[in-house]
Amino acid sequence: MRLTGYNSQLFPLYLMAIGTFAIGTDTFIVAGVLSDISDTFAVSIAQTGQLISVFALAYMLFAPLTAWLLGNVNRKRILQLALVLFIAGNLACACATNYLQVSVGRVLAALGAACYTPQAAAAAVGLVEEKRRGLAISIVYGGMTLAIALGIPFGTFLAKLIGWREVFLFIALLGAIALLGLSLALHTLAPPDKHSLKKRLAPLRQKAVLTTLLITFFAVCSEHIVYSYVSVLLINTRFGPEAILPLALLIFGVGAAIGNVASGVLTDALGSKFVLLLSVTIQTLSLFLLTFYIASPWWVLALFLAWGITGWMYLVPIQHRLLSLPNHVGALAASLNSSVLYAGIAAGGMLGGLTLYALPAHYLPLFSLPLGATALLLTLIFFQKETHNE
């Protein structure tokens, strides 16, 4: 059946969403299979958890670098190259015979992801009419949200059935489907704007941008010091004989989907300051309470739901504030925010790993408290000064 009109515009967007679904699953799937990889290569849980940090750190570094280097390449070619790299990275992980090979595979997959995600969102905007641009972006990034809601819990469950290597093969297959579909469905797209690396980093000189990026860093770091090691944290939490981990991740994902939808509506209705303060406060409190209720499955599910909702709410008001900055500063600052987000993921994974060298896993949520409190303090100071200046 031949697609025409409106449906023909949307079809490539859904193919792009398959790519972001694969990338979203790949980013965090290690958190659900830590013990399996650790046992396979006879390395510690803390060292295995660094595979999340390796991916996130590589993404953080590659995102601005590839945007600069590939500024003159048409977007279809960038998307194809990105997916080839992403597929190769996941195949390397699936076939790895030692920890170093898995690490290299994670870096290669992150390189592909860093090329793909921002270019897919930009390409989506160019494929539709101006009045449908919001829908286009939501479809592409919806793949990422769906990965949090379904891909990661399904991948964790699948790993228990058939093995962690097969999960990476499945992710590579999703990437291949997106690659084939986009190669056939997309025409040649105009290259992105060419900005020097200096110009891309220029917004960091503005205090408002730097403060907002620090809020992102500390808020993300506070949750990923826990999320990176969630499979270890919940290893003894069960419903009878059944492990709670897949269900807890599913509940977290459902919360993330709710938070993603609610955040835009609440930001428009109540303002970015209120949503940012509310979401970071509840997330920090939920993580802190996990320390005391980790043995109770019902409390864990309730806290994971609250955490999932608020953990995906604070990113929208932050992006909203950055994009409201004048001229081209907002777009460049929003791009930097994506890199800082992954820096927070990397730092959280590293801090969590260091904690596990000295303390049991149930202490991890305690360390999220000062990080979340720092994000709250920065938010209060920044908004108070902004209000005073107005």
Side-chain angles (χ1 to χ4, degrees):
M1 183 177 68
R2 187 174 180 179
L3 296 172
T4 58
Y6 183 50
N7 289 331
S8 66
Q9 287 183 337
L10 293 184
F11 183 62
L13 305 183
Y14 291 123
L15 292 172
M16 291 179 196
I18 293 174
T20 53
F21 176 83
I23 288 169
T25 303
D26 193 41
T27 301
F28 302 113
I29 191 61
V30 172
V33 294
L34 278 181
S35 298
D36 303 302
I37 298 176
S38 174
D39 292 342
T40 299
F41 298 122
V43 296
S44 69
I45 289 291
Q47 187 177 353
T48 307
Q50 299 311 306
L51 292 173
I52 298 173
S53 297
V54 164
F55 184 100
L57 191 60
Y59 188 108
M60 177 198 74
L61 295 172
F62 289 140
L65 189 61
T66 54
W68 169 51
L69 292 174
L70 301 174
N72 291 327
V73 181
N74 80 74
R75 282 200 169 100
K76 178 178 179 179
R77 292 287 178 261
I78 295 175
L79 293 175
Q80 289 173 319
L81 173 63
L83 287 169
V84 167
L85 292 170
F86 178 75
I87 293 164
N90 279 282
L91 290 176
C93 290
C95 300
T97 57
N98 57 57
Y99 179 83
L100 179 59
Q101 290 177 8
V102 177
S103 300
V104 172
R106 294 292 285 168
V107 171
L108 192 57
L111 173 57
C115 289
Y116 182 87
T117 305
Q119 296 299 334
V125 168
L127 289 173
V128 298
E129 302 168 5
E130 186 173 353
K131 64 181 180 181
R132 293 198 176 106
R133 286 180 177 177
L135 173 64
I137 294 172
S138 68
I139 290 174
V140 173
Y141 278 107
M144 192 76 70
T145 305
L146 193 62
I148 301 297
L150 298 177
I152 295 168
F154 174 73
T156 303
F157 176 74
L158 191 65
K160 302 302 179 187
L161 291 180
I162 60 176
W164 65 267
R165 295 182 186 275
E166 286 72 16
V167 174
F168 283 107
L169 288 175
F170 176 69
I171 293 171
L173 176 62
L174 290 174
I177 292 171
L179 174 61
L180 178 61
L182 290 174
S183 296
L184 296 174
L186 278 184
H187 53 75
T188 300
L189 300 171
D193 293 333
K194 183 74 172 178
H195 293 296
S196 68
L197 199 56
K198 182 179 179 181
K199 187 174 182 180
R200 289 183 178 277
L201 298 177
L204 292 175
R205 293 198 295 264
Q206 295 193 19
K207 192 172 182 180
V209 172
L210 186 59
T211 305
T212 306
L213 295 181
L214 285 172
I215 293 170
T216 296
F217 176 81
F218 283 106
V220 172
C221 187
S222 72
E223 65 172 318
H224 283 279
I225 196 173
V226 177
Y227 192 86
S228 298
Y229 299 94
V230 66
S231 61
V232 184
L233 184 67
L234 298 182
I235 195 167
N236 295 319
T237 309
R238 296 176 172 270
F239 275 120
E242 298 297 325
I244 199 176
L245 178 63
L247 180 58
L249 289 175
L250 178 62
I251 293 294
F252 178 89
V254 170
I258 295 171
N260 190 54
V261 173
S263 57
V265 176
L266 291 175
T267 298
D268 288 338
L270 303 173
S272 53
K273 176 184 177 181
F274 177 83
V275 176
L276 189 52
L277 287 172
L278 176 70
S279 55
V280 176
T281 299
I282 295 178
Q283 173 184 275
T284 303
L285 182 61
S286 300
L287 290 169
F288 178 68
L289 289 175
L290 273 176
T291 306
F292 307 100
Y293 294 100
I294 199 65
S296 170
W298 288 110
W299 268 105
V300 166
L301 293 182
L303 291 171
F304 265 63
L305 178 62
W307 174 21
I309 292 172
T310 53
W312 280 80
M313 281 180 67
Y314 62 81
L315 296 175
V316 170
I318 286 174
Q319 287 286 84
H320 182 270
R321 296 204 68 79
L322 291 174
L323 289 171
S324 67
L325 294 172
N327 302 323
H328 64 278
V329 174
L332 293 177
S335 176
L336 286 172
N337 191 58
S338 296
S339 290
V340 171
L341 188 153
Y342 277 88
I345 295 172
M350 290 176 184
L351 289 172
L354 290 173
T355 302
L356 289 181
Y357 281 118
L359 296 168
H362 65 265
Y363 282 96
L364 288 173
L366 284 178
F367 289 89
S368 69
L369 181 62
L371 296 166
T374 302
L376 279 172
L377 183 62
L378 286 169
T379 303
L380 287 168
I381 293 172
F382 173 63
F383 278 100
Q384 185 177 25
K385 286 184 177 179
E386 189 178 68
T387 304
H388 178 72
N389 290 337
E390 290 174 354

